Amino acid sequence: MKRLQWPSRIPIDPYILLLLATVGLAALLPARGTGAEVASGASTAAIAFLFFLYGARLSTREAMEGVRHWRLHATVLACTFVVFPLLGLAARGLVPVLLTRDLYTGLLFLTLVPSTIQSSIAFTSIARGNVPAAICAGSFSSLVGIVLTPLLAAALLGGSGGGLSTDALVRIVLQLLVPFAAGQVLRPWIGGFVSRHRKVLGYVDRGSILLVVYTAFGEGMVRGIWHQVSAVRLAGLLAVEALLLAVMLALTWYGGRALRFGREDRIAIQFAGSKKSMASGLPMAGVLFGAHASLAVLPLMLFHQMQLMVCAVIAKRRARDPEAAGPAGGTGPGARTQATGSHRPRGGAGSAGGPGNRTPPGAAPRGAVAGGTRSG
């Protein structure tokens, strides 16, 4: 008897089905009490382990190249804290036709939140983009957002920011930067082992996103925020957010081309510049909105799920681009091209072997990190 096999041309990515199943599980059986604490702790540990692995795989030289790529970082910051808020202000005209005032407040807050770190890196890696630049761009966005997001919210939402919390900064340092630095320190001893077992990184990516989706969506179910808006208004909000995401994905991709970035840099710009971090946004909303935070973060939670699903499909397709298969496509942390001033790949920061592995000249990369994405 033949074994059952997953169809090779299934119309929906199997991981998207896992994401939808996780959302369904959170809706039916949300974590409560001790269970919620366990799920949140497991998600935090997975994120820290992911960054430890990235630190162990990424060479210090490539990390410094990523830091020096200032044009890319400035582009991502402009997309996150200038273009996004301008689109959010433009959406004011949709009140009260499609959005209620409360939903618009949440939508505008969504546009002020920093970019993700984890999922930006994972999607960039899957799509064979510039992973070192994505690490730095996402980290810069989160650190800048600690100060800039509350200030923008105070100015544009008409309320006071309530002061800046140092807890978020401490979490970023302890959960992301410290594990990454530890991986860098231990890289001479464990870097080879991590590179040889690169599939582990893919499993961590996938498992971490599923954990974050489950805990965040389940928390919304427990708080009852899904029952505070009608189905018609929810459909209108989803339509507006789908348009917002489509506009940002197009602007980051084609804008990167207009700015003469190479393929791998454009991938990093698209994934770091088009997404918003629920991990950063939720605690900020608690400070800014107090008791009204649950409804204010509804647009952010919906947008977060949408961006993960859409970007997972885009990343898979980018990995199959003809440009990604040979040395002529894209730009990675290597020599500069004269035409664009970006990087030419030497194995590719987003290739299967990760930032530390190089593909021999003329040989196609062996594939992106084994599936999966990360959430932020």
Side-chain angles (χ1 to χ4, degrees):
M1 184 176 65
K2 294 182 178 180
R3 289 193 310 169
L4 293 177
Q5 295 182 345
W6 193 270
S8 60
R9 293 190 176 274
I10 189 168
I12 301 178
D13 191 305
Y15 189 65
I16 301 301
L17 297 180
L18 285 176
L19 285 172
L20 293 174
T22 302
V23 170
L25 178 63
L28 295 175
L29 298 172
R32 301 174 185 271
T34 304
E37 295 178 0
V38 172
S40 177
S43 177
T44 300
I47 293 171
F49 184 52
L50 172 67
F51 269 76
F52 175 79
L53 291 178
Y54 275 120
R57 176 173 293 184
L58 182 64
S59 72
T60 303
R61 177 183 58 80
E62 288 175 327
M64 293 307 299
E65 286 180 355
V67 172
R68 290 194 296 265
H69 207 345
W70 65 268
R71 289 182 62 244
L72 186 148
H73 304 321
T75 301
V76 171
L77 289 175
C79 291
T80 303
F81 296 112
V82 178
V83 180
F84 252 118
L86 289 176
L87 293 175
L89 291 173
R92 178 66 178 83
L94 301 176
V95 179
V97 179
L98 285 178
L99 304 174
T100 65
R101 185 174 298 275
D102 288 338
L103 287 179
Y104 170 71
T105 298
L107 180 69
L108 182 56
F109 172 72
L110 150 71
T111 65
L112 309 179
V113 170
S115 175
T116 63
I117 304 178
Q118 301 92 343
S119 59
S120 296
I121 298 168
F123 286 132
T124 300
S125 179
I126 293 169
R128 303 180 185 182
N130 191 336
V131 175
I135 291 175
C136 297
S139 300
F140 291 164
S141 177
S142 290
L143 291 173
V144 170
I146 295 298
V147 175
L148 197 54
T149 295
L151 293 179
L152 288 174
L156 299 180
L157 297 177
S160 64
L164 299 176
S165 172
T166 59
D167 290 342
L169 179 59
V170 171
R171 281 195 297 271
I172 288 177
V173 172
L174 295 181
Q175 190 175 349
L176 307 179
L177 301 183
V178 170
F180 180 81
Q184 285 277 284
V185 171
L186 296 178
R187 185 178 184 274
W189 296 277
I190 66 173
F193 176 83
V194 172
S195 296
R196 290 192 302 271
H197 298 81
R198 54 186 176 271
K199 287 187 177 181
V200 174
L201 184 59
Y203 295 143
V204 172
D205 287 344
R206 289 175 176 265
S208 299
I209 274 193
L210 294 179
L211 277 173
V212 171
V213 168
Y214 175 77
T215 54
F217 198 92
E219 182 179 359
M221 293 297 298
V222 172
R223 292 183 178 181
I225 66 175
W226 312 108
H227 303 293
Q228 300 180 26
V229 58
S230 67
V232 174
R233 294 297 188 183
L234 184 61
L237 175 62
L238 288 172
V240 172
E241 292 193 334
L243 178 61
L244 176 64
L245 179 60
V247 169
M248 288 306 302
L249 287 170
L251 284 176
T252 50
W253 183 251
Y254 294 105
R257 175 184 294 175
L259 293 174
R260 301 179 64 81
F261 285 102
R263 178 185 178 276
E264 291 192 5
D265 290 343
R266 290 166 62 198
I267 288 173
I269 291 170
Q270 184 176 54
F271 290 129
S274 65
K275 296 200 296 302
K276 293 294 184 175
S277 172
M278 189 169 65
S280 298
L282 290 179
M284 289 181 183
V287 174
L288 294 169
F289 299 103
H292 303 285
S294 58
L295 188 57
V297 300
L298 175 59
L300 176 59
M301 295 181 70
L302 293 177
F303 188 83
H304 188 267
Q305 309 304 322
M306 185 183 299
Q307 72 186 11
L308 290 180
M309 296 178 183
V310 172
C311 289
V313 175
I314 293 177
K316 292 284 188 179
R317 292 184 177 180
R318 292 269 186 265
R320 295 194 294 266
D321 284 346
E323 291 179 277
T331 57
R336 303 271 182 178
T337 61
Q338 295 180 355
T340 64
S342 58
H343 305 289
R344 168 157 288 168
R346 298 185 307 182
S351 65
N357 285 359
R358 299 298 183 188
T359 303
R366 299 173 64 183
V369 170
T373 50
R374 254 308 303 147
S375 167

